[in-house]
Amino acid sequence: MKYLIRGGSIVDGTGAQPVRGDLLLSGSRIAARLAPGETGPTDAVVIDATGRYVCPGFIDVHSHADNSPLLESDDRSKLMQGVTTEIVGNCGFSLAPAAPGRRMEFGEYLRRLFPPTSVRWSTFGEFLAHVDERGSVTNYCPLVGHGALRFAVVGMNRGLDSTELQRMRSELEAALEAGAFGMSSGLVYPPGSSADSAEITYLADALQGRIYATHQRAEGAHLMPSLAEALDVARSTSARLQISHLKAMGRPNWGATRAALYAIDEASDAGASVAQDVYPYTATSTTLMSLLPPEFLVGTNQEVLDRLGSRGAVDRLRELLESGVDGWENRAAYAGWGGVLVSYSASGADQGRTLAAIAEEAGEDPVETLVRVLRRERLEVTASTFLMDERDIEVVLGHPRTMIGSDGLPVGAAARPHPRLFGTFPRIFAQYVGSGRPLDFAEAVRRMTSLPAEWFRVPERGLIRSGMIADLVIVNPLAVSDTATYAEPEQYPEGVETVVLGGQPVVRDAVYCGERRGTRLEPA
């Protein structure tokens, strides 16, 4: 099948300004770039792009859509934003590997982030075969999670001996051989939080130039020591370090992104390979358990629940929340109880309400509310927490190696997901592009296309050039914007009119065409 995209301006992904021109697509590829009005094949189907920008398909470098191929319904949350490729398996969470004798426990662990998932595989390769069988709405580029590797070898929360560490590395190498683009870590989440720097460095050394993406140990008062640990890994190995969702949490720490970027530049100038991503919102979104200090998080879900239900648990938790714990980021103190918005609970109760409002209605202390809600929902609660400053987002976006990631929770993991799941990429254009803002349109497109394609080694995508795979998005530059809100997050954006995946339109006139045409990719 041939398509002729006629009448638009091409934003080719290099950062160059839009240029009028037409595109001829043949099969899965861009066959030719034509001058405006140049005669094309008479048998080509014409797609009218008059007054529109034609861009490479966007790449979401920080996605948690690992489970999307497993869903019965098609996950359109990214595709309708113009995203054609997603890097999944972030923050140490991936759906494989799974030790054969620990699948049930692994499924329980996954429920801290993902909706209930039936784990029917053991190795990373077996999981990817399952993904291939199911098909994907967008292209699928998997990282293997350090947390999943650790769980497969030793389960939750303890140190490793040398034999176990070698087993972890063997599991990592097997995942890389099967097609993983690299490894991610979530050093704030158990079991990854039990790892020391030596463990991470030893594993990252096996990456041989592939990505090590890290959700650092800290993103608030301890941001800089945490960043130093990550940069040391990059200096000590050949891994390419991706700092996930770079931010400075908590009002006392606002502005620290400048120092963080300075440290990243110093490391890069000295030869380390480092980049970062950001999402364009001032609220985080993760499990409500993230409000608990480390001693409450040790062990399995049942052990955490037993601890929360023990005599004196509320008093002890209140004491730790008020005094703080060395090295621990106190999100409740940073945001205040009115800044913690429940987005999902297993029972459906309290969704869309803050912990402050829930506590007031119940006539109890917010610490009591936190414990009660976690116990009632057996820990299956997620929340949006308002922690960041708009100016820090602008500073990070202003850095030339910053890419864009949605960091949305997996589909099905929140009844009222963070709006970033549906609005991240259009929001960049609407809020951060233009005079006096960090980006112009062409540079924003570069951050979403050729930069991540090169950095993550996504094959044959990210640029509009003859011979490249025809993953494209056509947008109205005057209308592109997000519509998703915290109150009504599941709303598709405006101005994203046509999406082409592998040479075939999958969105026309902002309507999904109803076919999974994504491909699981392997690193170039």
Side-chain angles (χ1 to χ4, degrees):
M1 191 78 175
K2 294 179 181 178
Y3 290 90
L4 181 61
I5 301 176
R6 187 179 290 285
S9 295
I10 296 172
V11 185
D12 66 6
T14 65
Q17 294 304 303
V19 176
R20 288 285 306 279
D22 300 340
L23 286 180
L24 176 64
L25 315 182
S26 181
S28 64
R29 297 183 180 272
I30 301 169
R33 181 168 171 172
L34 309 177
E38 182 179 343
T39 302
T42 57
D43 60 343
V45 176
V46 175
I47 297 175
D48 184 9
T50 302
R52 307 301 189 250
Y53 284 173
V54 183
C55 313
F58 304 146
I59 299 173
D60 184 348
V61 302
H62 192 100
S63 169
H64 289 288
D66 305 58
N67 68 321
S68 287
L70 311 182
L71 302 173
E72 290 304 316
S73 58
D74 291 352
D75 173 13
R76 294 172 259 176
S77 59
K78 307 295 176 51
L79 191 71
M80 301 301 287
Q81 300 179 51
V83 171
T84 55
T85 299
E86 299 181 65
I87 311 295
V88 302
N90 282 285
C91 296
F93 288 95
S94 64
L95 297 182
R102 204 179 282 130
R103 286 182 184 173
M104 185 175 296
E105 293 87 348
F106 184 56
E108 180 181 291
Y109 158 71
L110 291 174
R111 289 177 74 160
R112 296 186 176 191
L113 185 71
F114 291 92
T117 302
S118 178
V119 180
R120 304 174 184 175
W121 49 82
S122 295
T123 69
F124 202 77
E126 289 170 354
F127 167 67
L128 294 182
H130 199 64
V131 168
D132 293 342
E133 180 182 342
R134 296 287 304 171
S136 181
V137 173
T138 59
N139 297 322
Y140 191 94
C141 301
L143 302 170
V144 61
H146 167 259
L149 292 168
R150 218 173 194 278
F151 198 98
V153 174
V154 298
M156 296 290 283
N157 304 94
R158 71 170 176 83
L160 303 174
D161 62 31
S162 59
T163 300
E164 291 165 336
L165 185 56
Q166 181 56 55
R167 285 175 56 201
M168 272 188 75
R169 180 159 170 153
S170 295
E171 290 281 3
L172 170 58
E173 290 169 343
L176 296 172
E177 180 66 24
F181 278 66
M183 181 183 75
S184 74
S185 69
L187 300 181
V188 70
Y189 302 118
S193 53
S194 297
D196 60 18
S197 299
E199 174 181 323
I200 298 298
T201 301
Y202 178 70
L203 294 172
D205 186 60
L207 293 172
Q208 296 297 305
R210 295 194 195 183
I211 290 291
Y212 168 53
T214 183
H215 179 144
Q216 304 174 75
R217 291 188 199 276
E219 298 174 314
H222 304 282
L223 169 63
M224 295 310 294
S226 176
L227 178 60
E229 177 188 33
L231 293 174
D232 282 344
V233 173
R235 294 186 186 99
S236 303
T237 71
S238 63
R240 283 171 293 128
L241 173 65
Q242 181 75 7
I243 303 296
S244 296
H245 40 60
L246 181 59
K247 63 172 75 76
M249 296 193 312
R251 183 179 293 274
N253 309 307
W254 289 354
T257 54
R258 292 185 183 277
L261 290 169
Y262 182 80
I264 288 170
D265 283 340
E266 275 196 322
S268 297
D269 291 345
S273 296
V274 191
Q276 62 280 335
D277 56 76
V278 71
Y279 53 79
Y281 298 87
T282 57
T284 69
S285 180
T286 188
T287 65
L288 191 64
M289 290 173 64
S290 67
L291 271 62
L292 299 177
E295 72 176 58
F296 275 82
L297 295 173
V298 176
T300 65
N301 285 6
Q302 188 57 54
E303 288 171 325
V304 173
L305 287 166
D306 290 345
R307 194 171 296 112
L308 288 172
S310 64
R311 182 185 298 273
V314 171
D315 290 340
R316 175 59 176 165
L317 178 57
R318 184 184 294 109
E319 175 189 343
L320 294 175
L321 289 172
E322 290 176 354
S323 65
V325 177
D326 187 38
W328 172 62
E329 303 284 11
N330 189 338
R331 289 171 175 251
Y334 286 161
W337 300 110
V340 181
L341 180 72
V342 174
S343 56
Y344 167 80
S345 66
S347 71
D350 298 320
Q351 292 171 164
R353 306 178 67 204
T354 67
L355 284 184
I358 299 167
E360 182 177 4
E361 182 180 89
E364 61 189 2
D365 178 87
V367 180
E368 294 176 305
T369 300
L370 173 61
V371 172
R372 177 173 61 82
V373 169
L374 285 170
R375 294 184 66 202
R376 183 191 69 201
E377 305 298 336
R378 296 193 61 79
L379 308 180
E380 293 183 41
V381 195
T382 59
S384 295
T385 309
F386 293 81
L387 295 167
M388 283 90 74
D389 180 49
E390 186 68 42
R391 181 57 187 153
D392 278 321
I393 296 171
E394 294 176 353
V395 166
V396 177
L397 276 173
H399 192 278
R401 288 194 302 278
T402 295
M403 291 163 258
I404 312 302
S406 66
D407 196 21
L409 289 172
V411 169
R416 293 192 184 187
H418 193 296
R420 64 194 182 187
L421 184 64
F422 286 81
T424 290
F425 288 78
R427 184 176 178 83
I428 291 289
F429 293 115
Q431 300 292 328
Y432 300 96
V433 166
S435 178
R437 297 178 180 179
L439 305 170
D440 64 20
F441 198 99
E443 178 62 12
V445 170
R446 185 185 77 86
R447 307 294 189 82
M448 301 173 180
T449 58
S450 68
L451 180 61
E454 179 181 6
W455 183 246
F456 282 84
R457 298 181 182 169
V458 177
E460 300 186 282
R461 290 160 176 86
L463 291 168
I464 294 180
R465 286 181 180 166
S466 296
M468 298 286 278
I469 297 292
D471 288 354
L472 304 166
V473 56
I474 302 174
V475 302
N476 181 342
L478 301 179
V480 61
S481 63
D482 58 310
T483 63
T485 65
Y486 291 98
E488 299 291 339
E490 295 188 9
Q491 300 188 87
Y492 296 129
E494 297 177 348
V496 180
E497 299 178 350
T498 300
V499 181
V500 176
L501 195 55
Q504 296 295 314
V506 289
V507 175
R508 292 294 303 270
D509 299 321
V511 176
Y512 176 54
C513 298
E515 186 176 2
R516 296 189 182 190
R517 297 197 63 89
T519 302
R520 181 178 63 83
L521 304 179
E522 296 196 2

